[in-house]
Amino acid sequence: MNPIPLIAVADPSEGVSVTASTYFRHLCPHKDEADEGRVTVSWMVADKTIELHSLAAYFRGWASVKISNENLTTAICDDLAKAGVYEITVKTTWQTAGMEITTEVSA
């Protein structure tokens, strides 16, 4: 769904845990509005890790995609796994469609 791929690069730092967090935006699939929130991802480095510039571009690539918070969180987890890292956690927190409701999704 995201047109921007994650790029994995060689990394000899076996067993190192990486955590990255940023502001996040995507389109609500139910209303003509954007959902804004925060995404935090973590993974364990094996023989490769995610290149952080590609991670930032990947996150920005979701801005025009209509997808639910739950499906988006799962897609991020799946894409990190496909890139070859392991022990992945993804947590998203949303101020849903401009409402006074905050949701938290984990995968």
XYZ file of all heavy atoms in Angstrom:
816
model
N 0.805 -1.200 0.000
C 0.000 0.000 0.000
C 0.847 1.263 0.000
O 0.503 2.230 -0.625
C -0.906 0.023 1.216
C -2.106 -0.867 1.096
S -3.206 -0.638 2.485
C -2.767 -2.075 3.435
N 1.928 1.279 0.747
C 2.794 2.446 0.792
C 3.757 2.378 -0.391
O 4.483 1.405 -0.540
C 3.569 2.477 2.107
C 4.352 3.760 2.297
O 4.769 4.393 1.348
N 4.549 4.133 3.531
N 3.788 3.417 -1.222
C 4.657 3.384 -2.393
C 6.137 3.560 -2.078
O 6.981 3.378 -2.944
C 4.144 4.565 -3.225
C 3.576 5.505 -2.224
C 2.999 4.637 -1.137
N 6.470 3.893 -0.846
C 7.864 4.132 -0.474
C 8.391 2.921 0.298
O 7.891 2.607 1.374
C 7.986 5.407 0.364
C 7.321 6.536 -0.400
C 9.417 5.656 0.774
C 7.736 7.893 -0.206
N 9.372 2.233 -0.248
C 9.869 1.016 0.420
C 10.814 1.330 1.581
O 11.465 2.371 1.611
C 10.631 0.300 -0.695
C 11.139 1.414 -1.555
C 10.053 2.477 -1.517
N 10.851 0.419 2.530
C 11.861 0.464 3.578
C 13.144 -0.110 3.016
O 13.120 -1.090 2.270
C 11.421 -0.372 4.772
C 10.309 0.219 5.624
C 9.774 -0.840 6.579
C 10.815 1.429 6.389
N 14.259 0.487 3.367
C 15.553 -0.005 2.891
C 16.332 -0.553 4.079
O 16.555 0.151 5.067
C 16.354 1.118 2.203
C 15.590 1.622 0.975
C 17.755 0.639 1.838
C 16.168 2.864 0.355
N 16.697 -1.821 3.987
C 17.526 -2.446 5.021
C 18.987 -2.343 4.587
O 19.302 -2.470 3.402
C 17.134 -3.903 5.207
N 19.852 -2.072 5.534
C 21.283 -1.965 5.260
C 22.041 -2.913 6.183
O 21.581 -3.233 7.280
C 21.797 -0.514 5.439
C 21.185 0.402 4.393
C 21.519 0.010 6.829
N 23.205 -3.349 5.731
C 24.037 -4.234 6.546
C 24.437 -3.522 7.829
O 24.735 -2.329 7.838
C 25.276 -4.644 5.765
N 24.410 -4.272 8.935
C 24.782 -3.715 10.227
C 25.324 -4.834 11.099
O 24.611 -5.791 11.396
C 23.569 -3.060 10.892
C 23.946 -2.255 12.124
O 24.867 -2.665 12.865
O 23.319 -1.219 12.363
N 26.574 -4.732 11.519
C 27.164 -5.800 12.337
C 26.784 -5.735 13.812
O 27.254 -6.532 14.602
C 28.666 -5.551 12.156
C 28.768 -4.073 11.969
C 27.535 -3.686 11.189
N 25.915 -4.816 14.205
C 25.560 -4.606 15.613
C 24.542 -5.628 16.098
O 23.487 -5.277 16.621
C 24.996 -3.198 15.811
O 25.855 -2.229 15.308
N 24.832 -6.889 15.946
C 23.934 -7.980 16.334
C 23.409 -7.806 17.746
O 24.157 -7.542 18.679
C 24.686 -9.305 16.231
C 23.857 -10.522 16.556
C 23.184 -11.106 15.333
O 23.687 -10.918 14.226
O 22.153 -11.759 15.510
N 22.079 -7.899 17.901
C 21.467 -7.866 19.220
C 21.168 -6.478 19.763
O 20.674 -6.357 20.874
N 21.422 -5.433 18.982
C 21.135 -4.075 19.424
C 19.675 -3.757 19.127
O 19.166 -4.061 18.054
C 22.057 -3.057 18.712
C 21.639 -1.634 19.018
C 23.497 -3.299 19.120
N 18.999 -3.141 20.089
C 17.608 -2.744 19.912
C 17.552 -1.297 19.418
O 18.272 -0.436 19.918
C 16.858 -2.853 21.242
O 15.541 -2.398 21.100
N 16.688 -1.036 18.436
C 16.504 0.302 17.881
C 15.052 0.709 18.103
O 14.140 -0.081 17.861
C 16.823 0.330 16.365
C 16.580 1.714 15.786
C 18.242 -0.141 16.102
N 14.836 1.943 18.542
C 13.492 2.496 18.687
C 13.455 3.842 17.985
O 14.356 4.664 18.164
C 13.110 2.681 20.168
O 13.149 1.405 20.809
C 11.715 3.260 20.314
N 12.409 4.052 17.180
C 12.232 5.318 16.475
C 10.781 5.760 16.658
O 9.865 4.941 16.627
C 12.547 5.148 14.990
N 10.574 7.062 16.819
C 9.238 7.597 17.055
C 9.090 8.916 16.316
O 10.034 9.705 16.261
C 9.038 7.812 18.560
O 7.751 8.305 18.829
N 7.893 9.164 15.748
C 7.666 10.409 15.030
C 6.181 10.714 14.907
O 5.339 9.847 15.133
C 8.303 10.350 13.622
O 8.295 11.658 13.043
C 7.567 9.395 12.707
N 5.895 11.941 14.540
C 4.543 12.372 14.178
C 4.124 11.593 12.938
O 4.958 11.272 12.094
C 4.563 13.880 13.886
C 3.336 14.384 13.173
C 2.170 14.681 13.870
C 3.336 14.556 11.794
C 1.047 15.139 13.213
C 2.214 15.017 11.131
C 1.072 15.308 11.850
O -0.043 15.751 11.202
N 2.826 11.320 12.820
C 2.350 10.485 11.714
C 0.987 10.985 11.248
O 0.196 11.473 12.050
C 2.225 9.043 12.208
C 2.292 8.024 11.136
C 3.496 7.501 10.724
C 1.135 7.582 10.518
C 3.562 6.539 9.736
C 1.186 6.627 9.522
C 2.405 6.105 9.136
N 0.712 10.820 9.956
C -0.569 11.258 9.389
C -0.989 10.303 8.280
O -0.163 9.846 7.495
C -0.391 12.668 8.832
C -1.604 13.263 8.199
C -1.237 14.641 7.648
N -2.323 15.158 6.869
C -3.101 16.163 7.241
N -2.899 16.749 8.392
N -4.081 16.559 6.469
N -2.284 10.012 8.234
C -2.861 9.240 7.132
C -4.311 9.668 6.972
O -4.837 10.420 7.799
C -2.764 7.723 7.385
C -3.692 7.236 8.445
N -4.946 6.749 8.173
C -3.566 7.186 9.793
C -5.548 6.404 9.310
N -4.726 6.666 10.307
N -4.962 9.236 5.915
C -6.349 9.611 5.668
C -7.300 8.603 6.288
O -7.078 7.391 6.193
C -6.607 9.716 4.161
C -5.764 10.762 3.436
C -6.075 10.743 1.937
C -5.979 12.148 4.015
N -8.351 9.112 6.901
C -9.377 8.268 7.499
C -10.170 7.591 6.379
O -10.578 8.252 5.420
C -10.304 9.131 8.354
S -11.678 8.205 9.070
N -10.394 6.279 6.467
C -11.145 5.593 5.415
C -12.658 5.797 5.522
O -13.397 5.438 4.608
C -10.782 4.122 5.625
C -10.510 4.023 7.091
C -9.884 5.341 7.473
N -13.115 6.392 6.616
C -14.552 6.524 6.858
C -15.071 7.945 6.687
O -16.243 8.142 6.399
C -14.891 6.026 8.269
C -14.325 4.673 8.553
N -14.754 3.534 7.920
C -13.333 4.294 9.388
C -14.058 2.496 8.355
N -13.193 2.930 9.252
N -14.214 8.919 6.881
C -14.570 10.341 6.762
C -13.526 11.008 5.885
O -12.398 10.539 5.773
C -14.571 11.021 8.135
C -15.632 10.532 9.075
C -16.890 11.285 8.811
C -17.910 11.028 9.891
N -19.143 11.728 9.627
N -13.888 12.125 5.301
C -12.952 12.861 4.461
C -12.084 13.762 5.348
O -12.155 14.991 5.260
C -13.715 13.672 3.415
C -12.805 14.246 2.347
O -11.697 13.704 2.168
O -13.197 15.238 1.713
N -11.307 13.130 6.214
C -10.451 13.826 7.163
C -9.154 13.052 7.343
O -9.068 11.882 6.982
C -11.142 13.937 8.529
C -12.444 14.711 8.509
C -13.165 14.681 9.846
O -12.800 13.864 10.716
O -14.104 15.465 10.006
N -8.179 13.714 7.920
C -6.905 13.060 8.220
C -6.853 12.666 9.688
O -7.377 13.379 10.544
C -5.744 13.982 7.893
N -6.256 11.529 9.967
C -5.946 11.120 11.333
C -4.493 11.496 11.586
O -3.620 11.237 10.757
C -6.117 9.610 11.518
C -7.575 9.189 11.617
O -8.433 10.061 11.807
O -7.837 7.981 11.498
N -4.243 12.113 12.732
C -2.891 12.505 13.096
C -2.522 11.857 14.415
O -3.373 11.694 15.284
C -2.798 14.024 13.220
C -3.080 14.718 11.911
C -3.005 16.223 12.014
O -2.926 16.750 13.142
O -3.033 16.872 10.965
N -1.272 11.486 14.532
C -0.850 10.847 15.764
C 0.641 10.640 15.819
O 1.408 11.365 15.190
N 1.030 9.624 16.542
C 2.441 9.309 16.747
C 2.630 7.817 16.539
O 1.801 7.022 16.951
C 2.830 9.711 18.166
C 4.277 9.518 18.466
C 4.728 10.508 19.557
N 6.098 10.908 19.376
C 6.541 11.816 18.545
N 5.731 12.477 17.796
N 7.822 12.094 18.452
N 3.728 7.474 15.884
C 4.089 6.075 15.705
C 5.437 5.845 16.377
O 6.340 6.675 16.271
C 4.134 5.673 14.206
C 5.139 6.495 13.432
C 4.436 4.186 14.044
N 5.523 4.734 17.097
C 6.784 4.312 17.697
C 7.035 2.881 17.257
O 6.178 2.016 17.428
C 6.722 4.385 19.236
O 6.403 5.720 19.624
C 8.040 3.967 19.866
N 8.188 2.655 16.652
C 8.554 1.313 16.205
C 9.866 0.924 16.865
O 10.715 1.767 17.142
C 8.690 1.228 14.659
C 7.375 1.526 13.983
C 9.769 2.147 14.135
N 10.006 -0.361 17.129
C 11.285 -0.862 17.625
C 11.564 -2.210 16.978
O 10.641 -2.925 16.576
C 11.295 -0.970 19.153
O 10.332 -1.883 19.586
N 12.837 -2.509 16.846
C 13.262 -3.778 16.266
C 14.646 -4.126 16.778
O 15.353 -3.296 17.325
C 13.246 -3.726 14.733
C 14.241 -2.773 14.134
C 15.551 -3.025 13.807
C 14.021 -1.409 13.791
N 16.156 -1.904 13.289
C 15.233 -0.898 13.271
C 12.927 -0.556 13.876
C 15.361 0.420 12.829
C 13.069 0.752 13.445
C 14.262 1.220 12.925
N 15.002 -5.377 16.594
C 16.308 -5.878 16.980
C 17.156 -6.021 15.709
O 16.675 -6.528 14.698
C 16.170 -7.236 17.673
C 17.420 -7.702 18.357
S 17.871 -6.729 19.806
C 16.594 -7.155 20.946
N 18.378 -5.551 15.799
C 19.306 -5.661 14.676
C 19.859 -7.078 14.623
O 20.306 -7.606 15.639
C 20.462 -4.644 14.816
C 21.488 -4.829 13.713
C 19.919 -3.222 14.826
N 19.791 -7.701 13.467
C 20.439 -9.004 13.255
C 21.698 -8.693 12.459
O 22.612 -8.084 12.974
C 19.507 -9.949 12.534
N 21.710 -9.023 11.197
C 22.842 -8.637 10.354
C 22.501 -7.426 9.503
O 23.283 -6.982 8.680
C 23.278 -9.804 9.472
C 22.150 -10.295 8.579
O 20.980 -9.934 8.825
O 22.436 -11.046 7.637
N 21.286 -6.875 9.722
C 20.889 -5.655 9.023
C 19.929 -4.850 9.882
O 19.372 -5.342 10.858
C 20.266 -5.982 7.673
C 19.067 -6.882 7.719
C 18.559 -7.110 6.308
C 18.205 -8.548 6.088
N 17.730 -8.818 4.761
N 19.776 -3.590 9.495
C 18.853 -2.695 10.182
C 18.147 -1.844 9.140
O 18.475 -1.909 7.951
C 19.592 -1.822 11.222
O 18.624 -1.191 12.066
C 20.476 -0.780 10.571
N 17.189 -1.048 9.569
C 16.472 -0.165 8.662
C 17.225 1.159 8.564
O 17.577 1.762 9.582
C 15.033 0.100 9.169
C 14.278 -1.207 9.363
C 14.285 1.044 8.223
C 14.127 -2.043 8.121
N 17.472 1.600 7.355
C 18.126 2.886 7.130
C 17.135 3.977 7.539
O 15.994 3.990 7.089
C 18.518 2.996 5.651
C 19.554 4.056 5.357
C 18.955 5.432 5.275
O 17.834 5.586 4.742
O 19.605 6.366 5.760
N 17.538 4.882 8.429
C 16.600 5.812 9.050
C 16.025 6.848 8.090
O 14.882 7.271 8.256
C 17.242 6.480 10.257
C 17.561 5.518 11.413
C 18.219 6.268 12.567
C 16.313 4.785 11.882
N 16.773 7.261 7.068
C 16.199 8.175 6.070
C 15.061 7.486 5.312
O 14.039 8.102 5.018
C 17.268 8.666 5.081
C 18.229 9.622 5.696
N 19.409 9.199 6.256
C 18.181 10.957 5.874
C 20.058 10.236 6.732
N 19.336 11.323 6.519
N 15.233 6.211 5.022
C 14.165 5.487 4.323
C 12.971 5.294 5.245
O 11.823 5.326 4.803
C 14.653 4.145 3.764
O 14.644 3.118 4.729
N 13.213 5.115 6.553
C 12.123 4.983 7.510
C 11.302 6.275 7.561
O 10.066 6.244 7.532
C 12.659 4.636 8.900
C 11.620 4.429 9.992
C 10.717 3.228 9.687
C 12.305 4.253 11.343
N 11.977 7.422 7.597
C 11.273 8.707 7.619
C 10.446 8.897 6.347
O 9.288 9.310 6.399
C 12.272 9.848 7.784
N 11.024 8.569 5.181
C 10.298 8.687 3.912
C 9.117 7.715 3.878
O 8.028 8.058 3.400
C 11.243 8.432 2.743
N 9.323 6.517 4.379
C 8.267 5.510 4.453
C 7.098 6.029 5.282
O 5.939 5.934 4.880
C 8.845 4.225 5.052
C 7.832 3.178 5.422
C 7.329 2.312 4.458
C 7.381 3.048 6.730
C 6.390 1.340 4.801
C 6.451 2.084 7.078
C 5.962 1.234 6.109
O 5.036 0.283 6.446
N 7.376 6.604 6.447
C 6.319 7.150 7.293
C 5.572 8.269 6.564
O 4.348 8.320 6.587
C 6.879 7.671 8.615
C 7.284 6.595 9.589
C 8.250 6.851 10.535
C 6.697 5.337 9.581
C 8.630 5.883 11.464
C 7.063 4.358 10.493
C 8.034 4.635 11.431
N 6.298 9.188 5.915
C 5.644 10.272 5.172
C 4.808 9.732 4.020
O 3.811 10.334 3.630
C 6.682 11.261 4.641
C 7.305 12.123 5.719
C 8.157 13.235 5.130
N 9.221 12.761 4.267
C 10.448 12.445 4.650
N 10.787 12.548 5.919
N 11.343 12.029 3.786
N 5.177 8.584 3.475
C 4.472 7.991 2.346
C 3.042 7.574 2.653
O 2.244 7.363 1.745
N 2.694 7.460 3.923
C 1.335 7.066 4.302
C 0.363 8.246 4.315
O -0.850 8.057 4.446
C 1.343 6.415 5.686
C 1.927 5.053 5.700
C 3.177 4.691 6.122
C 1.303 3.835 5.270
N 3.360 3.333 5.980
C 2.212 2.785 5.461
C 0.047 3.543 4.736
C 1.919 1.464 5.142
C -0.250 2.226 4.422
C 0.680 1.211 4.623
N 0.839 9.467 4.194
C 0.007 10.660 4.377
C -1.206 10.711 3.453
O -2.253 11.238 3.826
C 0.845 11.925 4.201
N -1.122 10.158 2.266
C -2.237 10.226 1.312
C -2.989 8.901 1.176
O -3.810 8.741 0.280
C -1.712 10.663 -0.054
O -0.793 9.708 -0.542
N -2.722 7.963 2.077
C -3.342 6.638 2.006
C -4.559 6.578 2.935
O -4.470 6.945 4.108
C -2.331 5.537 2.391
C -2.988 4.166 2.389
C -1.134 5.567 1.446
N -5.698 6.115 2.391
C -6.896 5.887 3.211
C -6.807 4.491 3.816
O -6.832 3.494 3.093
C -8.166 6.008 2.364
C -8.526 7.408 2.032
C -9.899 7.498 1.403
C -10.252 8.951 1.190
N -11.637 9.122 0.787
N -6.680 4.437 5.137
C -6.503 3.169 5.834
C -6.887 3.357 7.299
O -6.707 4.452 7.853
C -5.038 2.675 5.690
C -4.867 1.261 6.238
C -4.057 3.649 6.300
C -3.515 0.625 5.899
N -7.401 2.309 7.921
C -7.751 2.399 9.335
C -6.482 2.384 10.187
O -5.433 1.881 9.773
C -8.664 1.237 9.741
O -7.933 0.024 9.772
N -6.606 2.913 11.389
C -5.468 2.905 12.319
C -4.974 1.488 12.574
O -3.770 1.231 12.628
C -5.873 3.546 13.652
C -6.284 4.987 13.509
O -5.887 5.658 12.570
N -7.075 5.470 14.435
N -5.918 0.557 12.726
C -5.560 -0.835 13.016
C -4.822 -1.478 11.843
O -3.782 -2.134 12.038
C -6.822 -1.642 13.347
C -7.559 -1.173 14.579
C -8.508 0.013 14.354
O -8.621 0.512 13.203
O -9.126 0.449 15.326
N -5.346 -1.303 10.629
C -4.697 -1.892 9.450
C -3.349 -1.248 9.176
O -2.408 -1.921 8.756
C -5.596 -1.785 8.227
C -6.773 -2.724 8.293
O -6.771 -3.705 9.035
N -7.811 -2.435 7.537
N -3.242 0.048 9.427
C -1.977 0.742 9.218
C -0.911 0.229 10.171
O 0.218 -0.063 9.773
C -2.175 2.248 9.409
C -0.923 3.095 9.351
C -0.194 2.908 8.032
C -1.267 4.537 9.571
N -1.258 0.079 11.443
C -0.301 -0.405 12.442
C 0.205 -1.799 12.072
O 1.407 -2.074 12.131
C -0.951 -0.402 13.836
O -1.416 0.925 14.121
C 0.026 -0.843 14.911
N -0.708 -2.656 11.647
C -0.333 -4.009 11.223
C 0.537 -3.970 9.970
O 1.518 -4.721 9.862
C -1.594 -4.850 10.976
O -2.355 -4.895 12.189
C -1.246 -6.267 10.560
N 0.211 -3.097 9.023
C 0.997 -2.988 7.781
C 2.428 -2.549 8.076
O 3.383 -3.059 7.472
C 0.326 -2.014 6.813
N 2.606 -1.619 8.994
C 3.955 -1.171 9.357
C 4.745 -2.341 9.937
O 5.903 -2.571 9.572
C 3.899 0.005 10.348
C 3.313 1.246 9.666
C 5.288 0.311 10.910
C 2.972 2.376 10.629
N 4.130 -3.102 10.822
C 4.788 -4.265 11.416
C 5.173 -5.273 10.331
O 6.298 -5.774 10.308
C 3.872 -4.890 12.459
S 4.661 -6.159 13.465
N 4.248 -5.546 9.417
C 4.516 -6.496 8.326
C 5.653 -6.012 7.432
O 6.517 -6.799 7.030
C 3.252 -6.708 7.483
C 2.154 -7.445 8.227
O 2.425 -8.039 9.298
O 1.008 -7.416 7.734
N 5.668 -4.710 7.120
C 6.719 -4.171 6.248
C 8.093 -4.231 6.919
O 9.103 -4.513 6.261
C 6.393 -2.736 5.834
C 5.243 -2.658 4.839
O 4.867 -3.696 4.252
O 4.716 -1.539 4.643
N 8.147 -3.982 8.216
C 9.425 -4.112 8.930
C 9.911 -5.558 8.903
O 11.097 -5.822 8.708
C 9.288 -3.619 10.370
C 9.218 -2.102 10.545
C 8.718 -1.746 11.943
C 10.576 -1.470 10.282
N 8.995 -6.499 9.082
C 9.365 -7.917 9.031
C 9.888 -8.289 7.641
O 10.892 -8.996 7.520
C 8.178 -8.791 9.410
N 9.225 -7.814 6.598
C 9.676 -8.096 5.227
C 11.056 -7.520 4.957
O 11.805 -8.046 4.144
C 8.685 -7.526 4.214
C 7.383 -8.288 4.155
C 6.413 -7.606 3.206
C 5.026 -8.197 3.352
N 4.000 -7.400 2.647
N 11.393 -6.421 5.646
C 12.710 -5.802 5.468
C 13.811 -6.607 6.151
O 14.991 -6.356 5.921
C 12.700 -4.372 5.995
N 13.429 -7.562 7.018
C 14.416 -8.477 7.575
C 14.866 -8.208 8.994
O 15.839 -8.810 9.452
N 14.172 -7.316 9.722
C 14.513 -7.140 11.133
C 13.577 -8.005 11.972
O 12.587 -8.534 11.465
C 14.451 -5.652 11.552
C 15.517 -4.864 10.822
C 13.084 -5.050 11.307
N 13.878 -8.171 13.242
C 13.065 -9.059 14.068
C 12.777 -8.440 15.427
O 13.251 -7.356 15.733
C 13.714 -10.432 14.180
C 15.003 -10.468 14.965
C 15.028 -10.973 16.257
C 16.200 -10.015 14.426
C 16.189 -11.012 16.988
C 17.376 -10.044 15.147
C 17.363 -10.547 16.428
O 18.520 -10.584 17.148
N 11.970 -9.144 16.240
C 11.487 -8.643 17.527
C 10.906 -7.239 17.354
O 11.291 -6.292 18.031
C 12.590 -8.685 18.587
C 12.962 -10.101 18.985
C 13.910 -10.158 20.170
O 13.859 -9.257 21.030
O 14.703 -11.108 20.222
N 9.956 -7.143 16.464
C 9.357 -5.868 16.066
C 8.169 -5.541 16.965
O 7.342 -6.399 17.248
C 8.869 -5.957 14.606
C 10.036 -6.287 13.689
C 8.157 -4.684 14.185
C 9.610 -6.846 12.351
N 8.091 -4.288 17.389
C 6.881 -3.776 18.023
C 6.521 -2.458 17.338
O 7.398 -1.677 16.967
C 7.029 -3.543 19.540
O 8.078 -2.613 19.773
C 7.316 -4.831 20.265
N 5.231 -2.264 17.161
C 4.721 -1.026 16.578
C 3.593 -0.540 17.474
O 2.679 -1.292 17.779
C 4.187 -1.246 15.141
C 3.638 0.047 14.569
C 5.273 -1.821 14.236
N 3.674 0.703 17.889
C 2.622 1.312 18.706
C 2.235 2.626 18.041
O 3.103 3.447 17.726
C 3.118 1.566 20.122
C 2.117 2.247 21.010
C 2.728 2.474 22.381
C 1.884 3.388 23.221
N 2.543 3.717 24.483
N 0.946 2.800 17.791
C 0.468 4.061 17.239
C -0.553 4.661 18.195
O -1.327 3.947 18.818
C -0.167 3.870 15.849
O -1.238 2.920 15.936
C 0.855 3.385 14.828
N -0.530 5.967 18.312
C -1.480 6.705 19.135
C -2.080 7.789 18.253
O -1.346 8.531 17.599
C -0.786 7.340 20.351
O -0.080 6.318 21.058
C -1.779 7.987 21.280
N -3.422 7.873 18.243
C -4.118 8.743 17.284
C -5.059 9.704 17.957
O -5.769 9.337 18.886
C -4.936 7.887 16.302
C -4.095 6.903 15.598
C -3.943 5.572 15.906
C -3.254 7.138 14.491
N -3.058 4.990 15.050
C -2.614 5.932 14.162
C -2.972 8.267 13.732
C -1.724 5.810 13.116
C -2.082 8.147 12.684
C -1.468 6.930 12.387
N -5.091 10.921 17.444
C -6.160 11.870 17.730
C -7.083 11.707 16.530
O -6.875 12.300 15.479
C -5.614 13.297 17.835
C -6.557 14.255 18.481
C -6.779 13.955 19.951
O -5.893 13.480 20.651
N -7.967 14.219 20.427
N -8.062 10.840 16.646
C -8.821 10.331 15.514
C -9.704 11.384 14.864
O -10.595 11.934 15.488
C -9.676 9.129 15.947
O -8.795 8.150 16.493
C -10.415 8.519 14.788
N -9.434 11.654 13.595
C -10.243 12.518 12.726
C -10.636 13.816 13.419
O -11.750 14.286 13.282
C -11.465 11.756 12.226
N -9.718 14.395 14.177
C -9.966 15.669 14.815
C -10.893 15.624 16.021
O -11.271 16.657 16.556
N -11.282 14.442 16.454
C -12.193 14.322 17.602
C -11.414 14.351 18.910
O -10.190 14.291 18.923
C -12.997 13.019 17.501
C -13.886 12.955 16.283
S -14.920 11.481 16.234
C -13.723 10.169 16.157
N -12.123 14.398 19.990
C -11.518 14.391 21.317
C -11.269 12.968 21.807
O -11.284 12.711 22.998
C -12.431 15.128 22.299
C -12.571 16.607 21.992
C -11.263 17.353 22.177
O -10.513 17.039 23.122
O -10.991 18.247 21.361
N -11.086 12.033 20.892
C -10.867 10.628 21.239
C -9.430 10.262 20.861
O -9.005 10.489 19.734
C -11.847 9.705 20.501
C -13.283 10.035 20.914
C -11.507 8.245 20.754
C -14.329 9.308 20.097
N -8.702 9.714 21.804
C -7.354 9.230 21.523
C -7.393 7.710 21.537
O -7.927 7.112 22.458
C -6.347 9.740 22.583
O -6.358 11.158 22.560
C -4.956 9.228 22.302
N -6.853 7.111 20.489
C -6.798 5.646 20.422
C -5.346 5.206 20.364
O -4.484 5.916 19.849
C -7.549 5.085 19.196
O -6.968 5.642 18.012
C -9.016 5.439 19.243
N -5.083 4.024 20.889
C -3.749 3.449 20.869
C -3.855 2.057 20.280
O -4.713 1.275 20.680
C -3.194 3.391 22.289
C -1.775 2.899 22.361
C -1.229 2.997 23.775
O -1.109 4.114 24.303
O -0.963 1.928 24.349
N -3.006 1.760 19.308
C -3.015 0.469 18.622
C -1.612 -0.109 18.691
O -0.632 0.601 18.469
C -3.446 0.628 17.138
C -3.502 -0.718 16.452
C -4.790 1.355 17.028
N -1.499 -1.402 18.997
C -0.201 -2.067 19.048
C -0.209 -3.314 18.171
O -1.232 -3.966 18.029
C 0.136 -2.484 20.481
O 0.237 -1.353 21.304
N 0.939 -3.611 17.581
C 1.094 -4.835 16.789
C 2.437 -5.448 17.101
O 3.350 -4.782 17.506
C 0.997 -4.532 15.298
